[in-house]
Amino acid sequence: MSASRPASEKPATDYPLNVIVATDCGSTTTKAILIEKVGDEYRQTYRGEAPTTVEAPFEDVTRGVLNAIAEIEELSGRKILDGEKILAPCRDAKTGVDIYISTSSAGGGLQMMVTGVVQNMTGESAQRAALGAGAIVIDTLASNDGRLPHEKIERIRTMRPDMILMSGGTDGGAVTHVVEMAEYIAAAEPRPRFGATYKLPLIYAGNKEAQPQVRKILGEKAALEVTDNIRPVLEKENLAPARNKIHDLFLEHVMQQAPGYKKLIEMAGAPIMPTPAAVGLIMETIAKREHLNLIGVDIGGATTDVFSVFDNAFNRTVSANLGMSYSISNVLAEAGLANIMRWVPFTIDEQTLRNRIKNKMVRPTTIPQTLDELQIEQAIAREALRLALIHHKSLATGLKGIQQERTISDAFEQQTSGKSLVDMLKLDLIVGSGGILSHAPRRIQSMLMMVDAYEPLGCTMLSVDSIFMMPHLGVLSTINEKAATDVFVRDCMVYLGTCVAPIGQLKDGERLADYDIAFPDGRTVKDQLKMGELRLFPLGLDQKAKLTMQPVKTVNLGQGAGVPVSREVLGGVAGLLLDGRGRPLQLPVDESTRVAALTKWFHAVDLYPRS
Amino acid sequence: MAHSYTPGLTVTEQTVIRRRRQLPLPGTVLVAVGDLVQSNQPVARAELPGKVYPLNLANQLGVAPDEIKEYLTKKEGELVRKDEVLAENKPLIKWFKTEILSPITGTVESLSTITGQVLLREPPRVLELLAYVDGTIVEVQPRQGVTVEARCSLVQGIFGIGGETSGVLAIAVAKPDEVLTPAHLKADMKGKIVVGGSFLSAETMAKAKDIGVAGLVVGGIHDKDLRALLGYDLGVAITGTEQVGFTLILTEGFGAIPMAQKTFALLSAHAGEKAAVSGATQIRAGVIRPEIIIAKASGSASAGVAAVPQREGIRIGDPVRIIRDPLFGKIGEVSALPSDLQKIPTESDARVLEVRFPDGQVAVIPRTNIEVIEGA
């Protein structure tokens, strides 16, 4: 585990870590896992879960932690708690743990406002710095954002961010616009969400020439921290110093204001990481270790975090208010009812569906008890995943506003600066995490949710976090790399299989491609994939099959229209999925035709139990 | 699972609550520890900074930013009236004179010789913080606010919209499963907190607004009616600032769901008494639930701190409400707590419990799909 570390780390223990208990305090549920050294390797042995207790009467996140750990105690027979204290280090083979660590996104996460001078240049750089630190960016203000000065001031006053990041200007460039923004912030007198008695943390990471003026204007009104410029020159981004500052301030100021965090920090043997930061560490590590381009997603109760690594460039976005519990109603608001309904394989009246979604919003810890409820939640998850990826693509871009060196051949391509780095044709692996993906009763459900939402092109592997433990392993990787790697490889990452999706659209039932699959047991399958077909072949974990596919001349398998593809494809717990539904995916508009198509697809891959 | 349970909503005849009343910025506290206060009595006051108006004088006068001081007729901190000359140039020929008039009445907050801007601020707005409940002041945080303690009956709702208000409780329906219709609403309900049964429609809400009721308390509403009332689709449950004419509190959820008998009985027992209500809901950190508080006479609180309920977990016999379909809204009591995971119809393995309903039927429900009716 070699990805970048947050700035503030306190050393782990000076004795061997053989038994580790880790929790992730999510916005809805607190998940605990027990990791034990078995022989020479670390394994995840037991898990517990409890509602996150930011609710009255507790309003103390440690209560949910203790409840989740109590469940592990019950299941493992190991005594971990002494009243409300964690027994550390281990007393004997059945008493105590060597360290307790935690991640957290409870409390609504870190909500930031960022400012820049030019919206799609320093504004976006500031946004990337904040998102990269695991923050939710609630607004980006810029000199040219089209809002009048008083509107900007009002916006700062009403949004009540946890922290503000100011950027703008290249080093040595003009200072006027940066100072102007500082004046607006000073005039707004921003107040933090939590705690009326402390000053709002504000990071200045803009033109260094403007530092004295910014200090003069904001030094008294905010807890000002000055760091290196995010965009020292137009062609370069320098996000790490600002990100590290965000981490430090989050731990020092914001997290401690949320209910019970001071106690949680005291309980933990290592710094508590924001969940998206921890998951990001793991995703970045997978991509680097396996030399892959990947998209990772963690779909939670309040937010959906998307990570991508393309050609070693790591990006992370946090889509605030796209989630499966607290924010479920916002998925409906953003996606629209029709987009959700297009994934539901039965008819349901709008009123009933709306009421059900709102009831989940107000009682976020509930789980679907009936099959139709599960299908509705998985339909909503597809839309949350889809919207979060659109958001991610728009932010994971190259630098905007810079001149690119172009050759004569480039001149024929209409490629502008700031193109999205997310290229689905170059994508090797999609990694899913979060309750709805990790806890789907059948793994094929996780696979199809991601395939439907992301529409992978050509050949793409998919995997899922087995029981939702990536955040725990992210923080563990900062104190014990071997333990994190062992558990990640053995217990966490579950390969689902490969999806093969031709690009193109034909009439329903028309031939898309001829295929020939040579399975490892010597069996071969030769057939045609037709438009509108979904086929799933069993191909187990660590098994490889040889796939040869000849698309028709208007259809592309990633190598160009009509160009045949021959390659090895990896299996997984779900298998090899041939997706002949075309790209971009188009679902029938007519309701009965759509329900029939969904039913056919779902039956084809045995998605749900048939009653 | 000894400790695990889903916290429920409190419905109790007798409790002591403390409500912290905090100014959004430092101000003056108007009461002292031990004072008896009424719900509509101001307990603290602050001056909210007025709106800010930036004016780029350098641009308007066509001068360099560092020269603007020479043209200003007012200094930092000085008062200025609307249309009063704020800055002017002094050309040799009067014709070319430019006067910049103040767009507001207020003060010159700051001027910047780097940007050439002047920031004007409107006079502060006085904010009075009310006690919200009838009770006793038990704590004062100088310049910040107070804590009011009250002995009261308390009903927590699941969701609400609208801010704090108070009024006399009026029970408009005979039974908790009766729908509140426009016909139930009478002109004399103006300014009252009207308690309905299982449901109210958009038409009933429109009539409530016409009459001027202060608050509505019902089992449920349809989400589409909420959207029509607000004018937008509510994305996340963070409410309390809506201004729709009344404060609305749902005790059960969305849809037509009978109000819990216990809730209805408690509210009915206090018909004609004054209640303080708040629709503010926030389900994320620092959870806020809508509430109906009926303070006991004299407002005197018991000595000691408001008790925080401490529970060890769900117990057999606990009254619970099912909070997920297919039995959403049904109320029963826990009849068994099997410890092993069980497969539910979705094929998930879940921790479950058995609930016995008043008609004797028993259902197996995931533990996370029930909530304990607190304050028994």
Side-chain angles (χ1 to χ4, degrees), chain B residues 55-344:
Chain B
L55 271 184
N56 199 317
L57 280 188
N59 280 356
Q60 294 196 24
L61 290 167
V63 299
D66 59 0
E67 294 173 346
I68 60 166
K69 276 188 179 171
E70 296 168 29
Y71 299 92
L72 270 169
T73 57
K74 299 282 178 184
K75 291 186 188 126
E76 264 179 297
E78 233 177 291
L79 288 171
V80 63
R81 300 204 159 276
K82 189 173 188 307
D83 295 333
E84 196 178 346
V85 176
L86 184 67
E88 60 187 9
N89 62 6
K90 295 182 178 65
L92 289 172
I93 306 163
K94 270 192 179 176
W95 249 31
F96 295 111
K97 184 167 179 173
T98 305
E99 287 184 339
I100 310 293
L101 307 182
S102 172
I104 59 154
T105 296
T107 50
V108 180
E109 167 128 328
S110 68
L111 49 100
S112 169
T113 53
I114 296 161
T115 60
Q117 284 209 119
V118 170
L119 296 179
L120 304 174
R121 195 183 283 275
E122 281 187 344
R125 191 164 59 87
V126 174
L127 172 90
E128 284 197 331
L129 188 65
L130 304 182
Y132 171 47
V133 284
D134 295 358
T136 311
I137 303 295
V138 290
E139 195 184 347
V140 169
Q141 295 104 35
R143 305 193 65 216
Q144 287 182 46
V146 300
T147 303
V148 185
E149 187 177 277
R151 192 162 58 83
C152 62
S153 300
L154 174 70
V155 173
Q156 280 186 318
I158 187 70
F159 174 79
I161 57 166
E164 295 169 353
T165 186
S166 61
V168 169
L169 274 179
I171 312 299
V173 293
K175 294 182 297 178
D177 58 357
E178 192 176 340
V179 172
L180 184 69
T181 63
H184 287 112
L185 299 176
K186 312 289 182 209
D188 65 355
M189 288 176 175
K190 184 178 180 181
K192 291 184 177 173
I193 311 295
V194 178
V195 179
S198 59
F199 177 75
L200 68 89
S201 63
E203 295 75 45
T204 312
M205 284 191 259
K207 180 148 186 212
K209 197 171 168 182
D210 285 346
I211 289 173
V213 303
L216 285 166
V217 184
V218 289
I221 60 167
H222 284 321
D223 177 47
K224 72 175 176 58
D225 294 337
L226 177 70
R227 189 174 46 150
L229 182 69
L230 294 173
Y232 56 88
D233 215 340
L234 188 80
V236 289
I238 297 175
T239 67
T241 55
E242 300 74 19
Q243 292 184 332
V244 295
F246 49 80
T247 291
L248 171 67
I249 295 176
L250 309 184
T251 59
E252 314 300 317
F254 288 86
I257 317 162
M259 186 181 286
Q261 176 63 40
K262 186 180 173 189
T263 310
F264 188 76
L266 191 150
L267 293 172
S268 299
H270 292 279
E273 292 177 36
K274 188 177 141 192
V277 298
S278 167
T281 308
Q282 185 173 319
I283 304 176
R284 293 197 205 176
V287 172
I288 301 166
R289 292 283 185 193
E291 59 188 9
I292 303 138
I293 297 167
I294 306 140
K296 299 292 176 194
S298 84
S300 63
S302 64
V305 181
V308 175
Q310 289 292 328
R311 296 184 59 104
E312 282 301 304
I314 314 166
R315 290 174 296 231
I316 290 173
D318 276 349
V320 292
R321 177 191 277 116
I322 315 291
I323 55 173
R324 182 90 192 209
D325 280 321
L327 297 170
F328 186 88
K330 285 197 82 170
I331 287 170
E333 64 173 47
V334 178
S335 56
L337 285 164
S339 59
D340 291 338
L341 297 176
Q342 285 190 23
K343 212 168 264 308
I344 58 174

Side-chain angles (χ1 to χ4, degrees), chain A residues 379-397:
Chain A
I380 298 167
R382 284 171 167 86
E383 285 304 299
L385 292 168
R386 184 180 67 85
L387 293 171
L389 182 64
I390 292 171
H391 180 213
H392 183 80
K393 280 181 176 172
S394 71
L395 286 163
T397 61

Side-chain angles (χ1 to χ4, degrees), chain A residues 49-51 54-59 63 67 70-71 74-75 106-108 111 149-150 153-154 157 175-177 179-180 183-184 186-189 191 194 196-197 213 221 258-259 302 321 326-330 332-333 350-351 354-356 358-371 373-374 377 439 441-442 445 609, chain B residues 1-7 9 22-26 48-54 56 109 112 114-115 117 119 121 144 156 158-159 221-224 226-227 233-237 251-255 257 283-287 289 308-311 321 323-326 328 344-348 350-351 364-366 368-369 371 374:
Chain A
E49 204 169 278
V54 288
E55 275 251 24
F58 305 115
E59 293 187 39
R63 174 60 53 187
N67 286 343
E71 200 169 309
E74 226 171 81
L75 294 167
Q111 302 192 5
H150 71 274
I153 294 167
E154 276 304 298
R157 277 173 81 165
V175 297
T176 317
H177 290 301
V179 174
E180 198 174 79
E183 286 168 1
Y184 296 151
E189 298 187 357
R191 306 194 62 78
F194 298 119
T197 52
Q213 288 95 327
K221 296 206 168 184
N321 300 335
Y326 297 99
S327 313
I328 195 166
S329 183
N330 202 53
L332 171 69
E350 179 180 345
Q351 188 164 284
R354 283 187 166 279
N355 286 344
R356 285 188 185 188
K358 277 286 185 302
N359 281 324
K360 170 85 180 188
M361 175 186 81
V362 296
R363 290 181 167 104
T365 57
T366 61
I367 59 169
Q369 191 178 348
T370 58
L371 194 57
E373 288 260 296
L374 179 78
E377 283 209 4
H439 298 321
R442 294 183 183 188
Q445 291 167 4
Chain B
M1 282 298 279
H3 297 268
S4 184
Y5 87 109
T6 306
L9 304 172
Q22 192 156 24
L23 291 165
L25 70 173
L48 291 177
K51 276 190 176 174
V52 176
Y53 286 81
N56 199 317
E109 167 128 328
S112 169
I114 296 161
T115 60
Q117 284 209 119
L119 296 179
R121 195 183 283 275
Q144 287 182 46
Q156 280 186 318
I158 187 70
F159 174 79
I221 60 167
H222 284 321
D223 177 47
K224 72 175 176 58
L226 177 70
R227 189 174 46 150
D233 215 340
L234 188 80
V236 289
T251 59
E252 314 300 317
F254 288 86
I257 317 162
I283 304 176
R284 293 197 205 176
V287 172
R289 292 283 185 193
V308 175
Q310 289 292 328
R311 296 184 59 104
R321 177 191 277 116
I323 55 173
R324 182 90 192 209
D325 280 321
F328 186 88
I344 58 174
T346 59
E347 296 187 335
S348 286
R351 287 187 177 265
V364 175
I365 310 284
T368 190
N369 287 358
E371 69 188 11
E374 304 269 10

Side-chain angles (χ1 to χ4, degrees), chain A residues 434-451:
Chain A
I436 189 110
L437 294 175
S438 297
H439 298 321
R442 294 183 183 188
R443 294 289 189 200
I444 183 66
Q445 291 167 4
S446 313
M447 187 169 187
L448 202 63
M449 271 188 269
M450 290 192 275
V451 167

